Coordinates of all heavy atoms in Angstrom, one line a residue:
V1 N 129.5 -6.9 136.7 CA 128.9 -5.8 136.1 C 128.4 -5.0 137.3 O 127.8 -5.2 138.2 CB 127.8 -6.1 135.2 CG1 127.0 -4.8 134.7 CG2 128.4 -7.1 134.1
C2 N 129.0 -3.7 137.1 CA 128.5 -2.7 138.3 C 127.3 -2.0 137.9 O 127.2 -1.3 136.8 CB 129.7 -1.7 138.4 SG 129.3 -0.7 139.9
V3 N 126.2 -2.1 138.5 CA 124.9 -1.5 138.3 C 124.6 -0.2 139.2 O 123.7 0.3 139.0 CB 123.7 -2.5 138.3 CG1 123.9 -3.5 137.4 CG2 123.6 -3.0 139.8
C4 N 125.5 0.0 140.1 CA 125.3 1.3 140.9 C 125.8 2.5 140.2 O 126.6 2.4 139.2 CB 126.1 1.1 142.2 SG 127.9 0.9 142.0
V5 N 125.5 3.6 140.7 CA 125.9 4.9 140.1 C 126.7 5.5 141.1 O 126.3 6.5 141.8 CB 124.6 5.7 139.8 CG1 125.1 7.0 139.1 CG2 123.7 5.1 138.8
C6 N 128.0 5.1 141.3 CA 128.9 5.5 142.3 C 130.1 6.2 141.6 O 130.3 5.9 140.4 CB 129.3 4.4 143.3 SG 130.0 3.1 142.5
D7 N 130.8 6.9 142.3 CA 132.0 7.5 141.8 C 133.0 6.5 141.2 O 133.7 6.8 140.1 CB 132.6 8.3 142.9 CG 131.9 9.7 143.2 OD1 131.1 10.0 142.3 OD2 132.1 10.2 144.2
A8 N 133.3 5.4 141.8 CA 134.1 4.4 141.4 C 133.7 3.8 140.1 O 134.5 3.6 139.1 CB 134.4 3.3 142.4
C9 N 132.4 3.5 139.9 CA 131.9 3.1 138.7 C 132.1 4.0 137.5 O 132.3 3.8 136.4 CB 130.4 2.5 138.8 SG 130.2 1.2 139.9
E10 N 131.8 5.2 138.0 CA 131.9 6.3 136.8 C 133.4 6.5 136.4 O 133.6 6.7 135.1 CB 131.3 7.6 137.4 CG 131.3 8.8 136.4 CD 130.7 10.0 137.0 OE1 130.0 10.0 138.0 OE2 130.9 11.2 136.2
L11 N 134.1 6.4 137.4 CA 135.6 6.7 137.1 C 136.1 5.4 136.2 O 136.9 5.7 135.2 CB 136.5 6.6 138.3 CG 137.9 6.9 138.1 CD1 138.2 8.2 137.4 CD2 138.7 6.8 139.5
Q12 N 135.7 4.2 136.5 CA 136.2 3.1 135.8 C 135.5 3.2 134.3 O 136.3 2.9 133.4 CB 135.6 2.0 136.5 CG 136.1 0.5 135.8 CD 135.5 -0.7 136.6 OE1 134.6 -0.6 137.3 NE2 136.1 -1.8 136.4
A13 N 134.3 3.6 134.1 CA 133.8 3.8 132.9 C 134.6 4.7 132.2 O 134.6 4.7 130.9 CB 132.2 4.2 133.0
M14 N 134.9 5.9 132.7 CA 135.6 7.0 131.9 C 137.1 6.5 131.6 O 137.3 6.8 130.4 CB 135.8 8.3 132.8 CG 134.3 9.0 132.9 SD 133.6 9.4 131.5 CE 134.7 10.7 130.8
Q15 N 137.5 5.7 132.4 CA 138.9 5.0 132.0 C 138.9 4.2 130.9 O 139.7 4.3 129.9 CB 139.6 4.4 133.3 CG 140.0 5.2 134.4 CD 141.2 6.2 134.0 OE1 141.8 6.0 133.0 NE2 141.3 7.1 135.0
R16 N 137.8 3.4 130.8 CA 137.5 2.5 129.7 C 137.3 3.4 128.3 O 137.8 2.9 127.4 CB 136.4 1.5 129.9 CG 136.8 0.4 130.8 CD 135.7 -0.7 130.7 NE 134.3 -0.3 130.8 CZ 133.7 -0.2 132.0 NH1 134.2 -0.7 133.1 NH2 132.5 0.2 132.0
F17 N 136.5 4.5 128.4 CA 136.3 5.2 127.4 C 137.5 5.8 126.9 O 137.8 6.0 125.6 CB 135.3 6.4 127.7 CG 135.1 7.5 126.7 CD1 134.4 7.2 125.5 CD2 135.5 8.8 126.9 CE1 134.2 8.2 124.6 CE2 135.3 9.7 126.0 CZ 134.7 9.4 124.8
Y18 N 138.3 6.4 127.8 CA 139.5 7.1 127.4 C 140.5 6.0 126.7 O 141.2 6.4 125.8 CB 140.3 7.7 128.6 CG 139.6 8.9 129.2 CD1 139.8 9.2 130.6 CD2 138.8 9.6 128.6 CE1 139.1 10.2 131.1 CE2 138.1 10.8 129.2 CZ 138.4 10.9 130.5 OH 137.7 12.0 131.1
D19 N 140.6 4.8 127.3 CA 141.4 3.9 126.7 C 141.0 3.5 125.2 O 141.9 3.2 124.4 CB 141.5 2.7 127.6 CG 142.3 2.8 128.8 OD1 143.2 3.7 128.9 OD2 142.0 2.0 129.8
S20 N 139.7 3.3 124.9 CA 139.2 2.9 123.7 C 139.4 4.1 122.8 O 139.9 4.0 121.6 CB 137.7 2.6 123.8 OG 136.9 3.6 124.1
V21 N 139.3 5.2 123.1 CA 139.6 6.5 122.3 C 141.0 6.5 121.8 O 141.5 6.7 120.6 CB 138.9 7.8 122.7 CG1 139.4 9.0 121.9 CG2 137.6 7.7 123.0
M22 N 142.0 6.3 122.9 CA 143.3 6.3 122.7 C 143.8 5.3 121.8 O 144.6 5.5 120.9 CB 144.0 6.3 124.1 CG 145.6 6.3 123.9 SD 146.4 6.2 125.6 CE 146.3 4.4 125.6
E23 N 143.2 4.2 121.9 CA 143.5 3.0 121.1 C 143.2 3.3 119.6 O 143.9 2.9 118.7 CB 142.8 1.7 121.5 CG 143.3 0.4 121.2 CD 142.4 -0.7 121.8 OE1 142.5 -0.8 123.0 OE2 141.7 -1.4 121.1
A24 N 142.0 3.9 119.3 CA 141.6 4.3 118.1 C 142.6 5.4 117.5 O 143.1 5.3 116.2 CB 140.2 4.8 118.1
V25 N 142.9 6.4 118.3 CA 143.9 7.3 117.9 C 145.1 6.7 117.4 O 145.8 7.0 116.3 CB 144.1 8.4 118.9 CG1 145.2 9.4 118.7 CG2 142.8 9.3 119.1
L26 N 145.7 5.9 118.3 CA 147.0 5.2 117.9 C 146.8 4.4 116.8 O 148.0 4.3 116.0 CB 147.6 4.5 119.2 CG 147.8 5.2 120.4 CD1 148.2 4.4 121.6 CD2 148.9 6.3 120.1
R27 N 145.8 3.7 116.5 CA 145.7 2.8 115.4 C 145.4 3.5 114.1 O 146.0 3.1 113.1 CB 144.5 1.8 115.7 CG 144.4 0.8 114.5 CD 143.1 -0.2 114.7 NE 143.2 -0.7 116.1 CZ 142.2 -0.8 116.8 NH1 141.0 -0.3 116.6 NH2 142.3 -1.3 118.2
H28 N 144.7 4.6 114.1 CA 144.3 5.2 112.9 C 145.0 6.5 112.4 O 144.8 6.9 111.3 CB 142.8 5.4 112.9 CG 142.1 4.2 113.0 ND1 141.8 3.3 112.1 CD2 141.3 3.8 114.1 CE1 141.0 2.3 112.5 NE2 140.7 2.6 113.7
F29 N 145.7 7.1 113.4 CA 146.3 8.4 112.9 C 147.7 8.2 112.6 O 148.5 7.5 113.3 CB 146.3 9.4 114.2 CG 144.9 10.0 114.4 CD1 143.8 9.4 114.0 CD2 144.8 11.0 115.2 CE1 142.5 9.8 114.3 CE2 143.6 11.6 115.6 CZ 142.5 11.1 115.0
N30 N 148.2 8.8 111.5 CA 149.5 8.8 111.0 C 149.9 10.3 111.3 O 149.8 11.3 110.6 CB 149.6 8.5 109.6 CG 151.0 8.5 109.0 OD1 152.0 8.8 109.9 ND2 151.3 8.3 107.9
F31 N 150.9 10.4 112.3 CA 151.2 11.7 112.8 C 152.3 12.3 111.9 O 152.6 13.5 112.2 CB 151.6 11.6 114.3 CG 150.6 11.4 115.2 CD1 150.3 10.2 115.9 CD2 149.7 12.4 115.6 CE1 149.3 9.9 116.7 CE2 148.7 12.1 116.5 CZ 148.5 11.0 117.0
A32 N 152.9 11.6 111.0 CA 153.8 12.3 110.1 C 153.0 13.1 109.1 O 153.4 14.0 108.6 CB 154.6 11.1 109.4
V33 N 151.7 12.8 108.9 CA 150.8 13.4 107.9 C 149.9 14.4 108.5 O 149.6 15.5 108.1 CB 150.0 12.3 107.1 CG1 149.1 12.9 106.2 CG2 151.0 11.3 106.4
V34 N 149.4 14.1 109.7 CA 148.4 14.8 110.4 C 148.9 16.2 110.8 O 150.0 16.2 111.4 CB 147.9 14.1 111.8 CG1 147.1 14.9 112.6 CG2 147.1 12.9 111.5
K35 N 148.2 17.2 110.6 CA 148.6 18.6 111.0 C 148.0 19.1 112.3 O 148.7 19.9 112.9 CB 148.4 19.6 109.9 CG 149.1 19.2 108.6 CD 148.7 20.4 107.5 CE 149.3 20.0 106.2 NZ 150.6 20.1 106.0
C36 N 146.9 18.6 112.6 CA 146.1 19.1 113.9 C 145.1 18.0 114.2 O 144.5 17.4 113.4 CB 145.5 20.4 113.6 SG 144.4 21.0 114.8
V37 N 145.1 17.8 115.5 CA 144.0 17.0 116.1 C 143.1 17.9 117.0 O 143.7 18.3 118.1 CB 144.6 15.8 117.0 CG1 143.6 14.9 117.5 CG2 145.5 14.9 116.1
L38 N 141.9 18.1 116.7 CA 141.0 18.8 117.5 C 140.2 17.9 118.5 O 139.7 16.8 118.1 CB 139.8 19.4 116.6 CG 140.1 20.8 116.2 CD1 139.1 21.3 115.1 CD2 140.0 21.7 117.3
V39 N 140.4 18.2 119.7 CA 139.6 17.4 120.7 C 138.7 18.3 121.4 O 138.9 19.3 122.0 CB 140.6 16.8 121.8 CG1 139.9 16.1 123.0 CG2 141.7 16.0 121.2
A40 N 137.3 18.1 121.3 CA 136.3 19.0 121.7 C 135.2 18.3 122.5 O 135.0 17.1 122.3 CB 135.5 19.6 120.4
S41 N 134.8 19.1 123.6 CA 133.7 18.6 124.4 C 133.1 19.7 125.2 O 133.8 20.8 125.2 CB 134.2 17.6 125.4 OG 134.9 18.2 126.5
P42 N 131.8 19.7 125.5 CA 131.2 20.9 126.4 C 131.8 21.0 127.7 O 131.6 22.0 128.2 CB 129.7 20.4 126.3 CG 129.6 19.0 126.1 CD 130.9 18.6 125.3
G43 N 132.3 19.9 128.3 CA 132.8 20.0 129.6 C 134.3 19.8 129.8 O 135.1 20.4 128.9
F44 N 134.8 19.1 130.8 CA 136.1 18.9 130.9 C 136.8 17.7 130.5 O 137.8 17.2 130.7 CB 136.5 19.0 132.4 CG 136.1 20.4 133.0 CD1 135.0 20.6 133.8 CD2 136.9 21.4 132.8 CE1 134.7 21.9 134.3 CE2 136.7 22.7 133.3 CZ 135.7 22.8 134.1
V45 N 135.8 16.9 129.7 CA 136.2 15.5 129.2 C 137.5 15.7 128.3 O 138.3 14.8 128.4 CB 135.1 14.9 128.4 CG1 135.5 13.6 127.9 CG2 133.9 14.7 129.5
K46 N 137.5 16.8 127.5 CA 138.6 16.9 126.6 C 139.9 17.1 127.4 O 141.0 16.6 127.0 CB 138.5 18.2 125.7 CG 138.2 19.3 126.4 CD 137.9 20.7 125.4 CE 137.5 21.8 126.2 NZ 136.5 21.9 127.2
D47 N 140.0 17.9 128.3 CA 141.2 18.1 129.1 C 141.6 16.8 129.8 O 142.8 16.4 129.9 CB 140.9 19.1 130.2 CG 140.4 20.5 129.6 OD1 141.0 20.8 128.5 OD2 139.6 21.2 130.1
K48 N 140.6 16.1 130.5 CA 141.0 14.8 131.2 C 141.4 13.7 130.2 O 142.3 12.9 130.5 CB 139.7 14.2 131.9 CG 139.3 15.2 133.0 CD 140.3 15.1 134.2 CE 139.9 15.9 135.4 NZ 140.7 15.9 136.4
F49 N 140.8 13.8 129.0 CA 141.2 12.8 127.9 C 142.7 13.1 127.5 O 143.5 12.1 127.4 CB 140.3 12.7 126.8 CG 141.0 12.0 125.5 CD1 141.1 10.6 125.6 CD2 141.4 12.7 124.4 CE1 141.6 9.9 124.6 CE2 142.0 11.9 123.5 CZ 142.2 10.6 123.5
L50 N 143.0 14.3 127.3 CA 144.3 14.6 126.8 C 145.4 14.4 127.9 O 146.5 13.8 127.6 CB 144.6 16.1 126.4 CG 143.8 16.4 125.0 CD1 143.7 17.9 124.8 CD2 144.4 15.6 124.0
E51 N 145.1 14.6 129.2 CA 145.9 14.2 130.4 C 146.2 12.7 130.4 O 147.3 12.2 130.5 CB 145.3 14.6 131.6 CG 145.3 16.1 131.9 CD 144.6 16.4 133.2 OE1 144.3 15.5 134.1 OE2 144.2 17.6 133.4
H52 N 145.1 11.9 130.1 CA 145.2 10.4 130.2 C 146.0 10.0 128.9 O 146.8 9.1 129.1 CB 143.7 9.9 130.0 CG 143.8 8.4 130.0 ND1 143.9 7.5 131.1 CD2 143.7 7.6 128.9 CE1 143.9 6.3 130.7 NE2 143.6 6.3 129.4
L53 N 145.8 10.6 127.7 CA 146.5 10.2 126.5 C 147.9 10.4 126.8 O 148.8 9.6 126.5 CB 146.0 10.9 125.4 CG 146.7 10.8 124.0 CD1 146.4 9.3 123.5 CD2 146.3 11.8 123.0
F54 N 148.4 11.5 127.1 CA 149.8 11.9 127.2 C 150.4 11.0 128.4 O 151.6 10.7 128.3 CB 150.1 13.4 127.4 CG 149.7 14.2 126.2 CD1 148.9 15.3 126.4 CD2 149.9 13.7 124.9 CE1 148.5 16.1 125.2 CE2 149.5 14.3 123.8 CZ 148.8 15.6 124.1
A55 N 149.7 10.8 129.5 CA 150.3 10.1 130.6 C 150.5 8.6 130.1 O 151.6 8.1 130.5 CB 149.4 10.0 131.9
Q56 N 149.6 8.0 129.4 CA 149.7 6.6 128.9 C 150.8 6.6 127.9 O 151.6 5.7 127.8 CB 148.4 6.2 128.3 CG 147.2 6.0 129.5 CD 147.7 4.8 130.3 OE1 148.7 4.2 130.2 NE2 146.8 4.5 131.2
C57 N 150.9 7.8 127.1 CA 152.1 7.6 126.0 C 153.4 7.8 126.7 O 154.4 7.2 126.1 CB 151.7 8.8 124.9 SG 150.4 8.3 123.8
I58 N 153.4 8.6 127.8 CA 154.7 8.5 128.5 C 155.1 7.2 129.1 O 156.1 6.6 128.9 CB 154.7 9.7 129.5 CG1 154.8 11.0 128.9 CG2 155.8 9.4 130.6 CD1 154.3 12.2 129.9
K59 N 154.0 6.5 129.7 CA 154.2 5.2 130.3 C 154.6 4.2 129.3 O 155.4 3.3 129.5 CB 152.8 4.8 131.0 CG 153.0 3.6 131.9 CD 151.6 3.1 132.4 CE 151.2 4.2 133.3 NZ 149.9 3.8 134.0
L60 N 154.0 4.2 128.0 CA 154.2 3.3 126.9 C 155.4 3.6 126.0 O 155.8 2.9 125.2 CB 153.0 3.1 126.1 CG 151.6 2.6 126.7 CD1 150.6 2.5 125.8 CD2 152.0 1.3 127.3
D61 N 156.0 4.8 126.3 CA 157.1 5.5 125.5 C 156.7 5.5 124.1 O 157.6 5.1 123.2 CB 158.3 4.6 125.8 CG 159.6 5.3 125.3 OD1 159.6 6.5 125.5 OD2 160.6 4.6 124.7
N62 N 155.6 6.2 123.8 CA 155.1 6.3 122.4 C 155.6 7.6 121.9 O 155.1 8.6 122.2 CB 153.5 6.2 122.4 CG 153.0 6.3 121.0 OD1 153.6 7.0 120.1 ND2 151.9 5.3 120.8
K63 N 156.7 7.5 121.2 CA 157.3 8.7 120.8 C 156.6 9.6 119.7 O 156.5 10.7 119.6 CB 158.7 8.5 120.2 CG 159.7 7.9 121.2 CD 160.2 8.9 122.1 CE 161.3 8.3 122.9 NZ 161.5 9.1 124.1
A64 N 155.7 8.8 118.9 CA 155.0 9.5 117.9 C 154.0 10.4 118.4 O 153.9 11.6 118.0 CB 154.3 8.5 117.0
V65 N 153.3 10.2 119.5 CA 152.3 11.0 120.0 C 153.0 12.1 120.8 O 152.6 13.3 120.8 CB 151.3 10.3 120.8 CG1 150.3 11.3 121.6 CG2 150.5 9.2 120.1
L66 N 154.0 11.7 121.6 CA 154.7 12.7 122.5 C 155.4 13.7 121.5 O 155.4 14.9 122.0 CB 155.8 12.1 123.3 CG 155.1 11.1 124.4 CD1 156.1 10.5 125.1 CD2 154.2 11.9 125.3
D67 N 155.9 13.4 120.4 CA 156.5 14.4 119.5 C 155.4 15.2 118.8 O 155.7 16.4 118.4 CB 157.4 13.7 118.5 CG 158.6 13.0 119.0 OD1 159.0 13.3 120.1 OD2 159.3 12.2 118.5
S68 N 154.2 14.7 118.8 CA 153.3 15.4 118.1 C 152.3 16.2 119.2 O 151.1 16.5 118.9 CB 152.3 14.5 117.3 OG 153.2 14.0 116.3
R69 N 152.7 16.4 120.3 CA 151.9 16.9 121.4 C 151.2 18.3 121.1 O 150.2 18.7 121.4 CB 152.8 17.0 122.7 CG 152.1 17.5 123.9 CD 152.9 17.3 125.1 NE 152.3 16.4 126.0 CZ 153.0 15.9 127.0 NH1 154.0 16.6 127.4 NH2 152.4 15.1 127.9
A70 N 152.0 19.2 120.2 CA 151.7 20.5 120.0 C 150.5 20.5 118.9 O 149.8 21.4 118.7 CB 152.8 21.2 119.5
K71 N 150.4 19.2 118.3 CA 149.3 19.1 117.3 C 147.9 19.1 117.9 O 146.8 19.1 117.2 CB 149.6 18.0 116.4 CG 150.8 18.2 115.5 CD 151.0 17.1 114.5 CE 152.3 17.2 113.7 NZ 152.6 16.1 112.9
F72 N 147.8 18.6 119.2 CA 146.6 18.4 119.9 C 146.1 19.7 120.3 O 146.8 20.4 121.1 CB 146.6 17.4 121.0 CG 147.0 16.0 120.7 CD1 148.2 15.6 120.1 CD2 145.8 15.0 120.4 CE1 148.4 14.2 119.7 CE2 146.0 13.8 120.1 CZ 147.1 13.4 119.7
I73 N 144.8 20.0 119.9 CA 144.3 21.3 120.4 C 142.9 21.0 121.1 O 142.0 20.4 120.4 CB 144.0 22.3 119.2 CG1 145.3 22.6 118.4 CG2 143.2 23.5 119.6 CD1 145.1 23.3 117.2
A74 N 142.7 21.4 122.2 CA 141.6 21.2 123.1 C 140.6 22.4 122.9 O 141.0 23.6 123.1 CB 141.7 21.0 124.5
V75 N 139.4 22.4 122.4 CA 138.4 23.3 122.1 C 137.1 23.1 122.9 O 136.8 21.8 123.0 CB 138.2 23.6 120.7 CG1 139.5 24.1 120.0 CG2 137.7 22.4 120.0
H76 N 136.3 24.1 123.2 CA 135.1 24.0 123.8 C 134.0 23.7 122.7 O 134.1 24.5 121.6 CB 134.6 25.1 124.6 CG 133.3 25.1 125.2 ND1 132.9 24.4 126.3 CD2 132.2 25.7 124.7 CE1 131.7 24.6 126.5 NE2 131.1 25.3 125.6
A77 N 133.0 22.9 122.9 CA 132.0 22.6 121.8 C 130.7 22.4 122.8 O 130.7 22.0 123.8 CB 132.2 21.2 121.1
S78 N 129.7 23.2 122.3 CA 128.5 23.3 123.0 C 127.6 22.0 123.0 O 126.7 21.7 123.8 CB 127.5 24.4 122.7 OG 127.3 24.4 121.4
S79 N 127.9 21.2 122.1 CA 127.2 19.9 121.9 C 128.2 18.8 121.1 O 129.3 19.2 120.7 CB 125.9 19.9 121.1 OG 126.2 20.2 119.7
G80 N 127.7 17.7 121.0 CA 128.5 16.7 120.1 C 128.4 16.7 118.7 O 129.1 16.0 118.0
H81 N 127.7 17.8 118.2 CA 127.7 17.9 116.7 C 128.7 18.7 116.1 O 129.2 19.6 116.7 CB 126.2 18.5 116.4 CG 125.1 17.7 116.7 ND1 124.7 16.6 116.0 CD2 124.2 17.9 117.7 CE1 123.6 16.1 116.6 NE2 123.3 16.9 117.7
M82 N 129.1 18.3 114.8 CA 130.3 18.9 114.3 C 129.9 20.5 114.0 O 130.9 21.3 114.2 CB 130.6 18.5 112.9 CG 132.0 18.9 112.3 SD 132.5 17.9 110.9 CE 131.4 18.4 109.7
Q83 N 128.8 20.9 113.9 CA 128.3 22.3 113.7 C 128.6 23.1 114.9 O 128.7 24.4 114.9 CB 126.9 22.4 113.2 CG 126.5 21.8 111.9 CD 126.3 20.4 111.9 OE1 126.4 19.7 113.0 NE2 126.2 19.9 110.7
A84 N 128.7 22.4 116.2 CA 129.0 23.1 117.3 C 130.4 23.6 117.4 O 130.7 24.4 118.4 CB 128.6 22.4 118.6
L85 N 131.3 23.2 116.6 CA 132.7 23.7 116.6 C 132.7 25.1 116.2 O 133.5 25.9 116.5 CB 133.6 22.8 115.8 CG 133.7 21.4 116.3 CD1 134.5 20.5 115.5 CD2 134.3 21.4 117.9

């Protein structure tokens, strides 16, 4: 367990977060039915997550996500609450 606040630990934590969100997206979304996927954050997390998602889907050859790439929309949100959209 890393207790330091260093760049390597932060990067590793973000990778685990991106992987867990990607796993949930792949498990719960039916891209044949989904019309739009909104990815929102106040900073650059949304952009980094989408980069990670598409890079992993290319690596794993996940055609469902890659074919639905245009359905993903990155938007700015001032907070984590739905009303901020």
